[in-house]
Amino acid sequence: MNLLKLEMMTATERMAEALTMRGLFVETKDDFIILAKENTNADIVKTKRLLNDLGIPTFWQGNQFQVLVSRFPIAAMKKIINVPGREFPVHMEGYHFKWRAFAQRRFGIKVNALDLDANMAMFVKSLNLAGITALAGCSGHHRYQPNVQLSGAYQGAWFKVIQEKYLKGLNLHYTWEVHFYNGSGSCIRAVETGRWDMSLIYQDTVQMAEVLQKYAAEIREIKKSSFKSSKEMKETAGKLLKEENVDVLIDWMKEQAEKQFSMI
């Protein structure tokens, strides 16, 4: 976070920034903070509980609230940004692996931001906003590779296309690759370096999240215009996946989307 920018922020703006960095979608109107419809109902409940537990006075009206203090210190922002997530079950159903589910779904799924690891929440939520279905994310907790579980291999192949088009210019600290396994699943994970710095992981995921949020509507529209649940596309994609030709699958997806990219 830019310290000069923070110094100029009001208490409301600092609260909104902290919640955004924790993976929530927020809007501000006058002195109200609005938790947007892209959040889950659980996130609204959990946010209200979190602020109460931190002793931050607020006034709520449905999905929006006011911060009832004129000063909101950076230390309080960090407490919100770093609040830990929790373990929750992740189920991979049969439809996750099907071409039809990939081609017809415009948005991803709604995952509770405050259940996700603090370092990964904004990235996971932003992937889903851009229509790349992400089920969960783990920071690795200094021991394992930070990763995001995607909903099947087609989502992983599509992220590779989007990564090359929108994210390749970012100055990231780690290399983030898509790992495919068993011809059906995929995940995004950082390449192992022998040392995991949670701050650098967080900086990487925030950078990627900000770009995905900026171009989310555009990415969704490109996907909608490029892929159909037609028999021809289903058979082509299915054959490549069955043969585990993921590089060819990625190139084929890129070719289908190229016309839409050229119109941007």
Side-chain angles (χ1 to χ4, degrees), residues 85-125:
R86 68 174 187 88
E87 290 188 14
F88 60 92
V90 178
H91 301 290
M92 294 291 287
E93 307 293 344
Y95 72 86
H96 284 270
F97 309 123
K98 296 183 180 299
W99 173 258
R100 182 177 179 181
F102 167 78
Q104 291 188 341
R105 182 180 285 277
R106 297 294 166 248
F107 288 85
I109 59 174
K110 289 186 176 182
V111 185
N112 299 331
L114 295 177
D115 287 347
L116 296 164
D117 278 359
N119 307 75
M120 308 298 292
M122 190 177 177
F123 186 33
V124 172
K125 297 282 282 189

Side-chain angles (χ1 to χ4, degrees), residues 23 47 55 71-72 83 88 98 126 129 133 167 175 187 204 221-222 230-231 243 247-248:
T47 299
R71 293 179 59 81
F72 191 63
V83 65
F88 60 92
K98 296 183 180 299
S126 300
L129 184 67
T133 308
L167 305 179
T175 299
C187 69
D204 279 7
E221 184 58 34
I222 290 171
S230 64
K231 181 179 179 181
E243 296 173 352
D247 289 338
V248 180

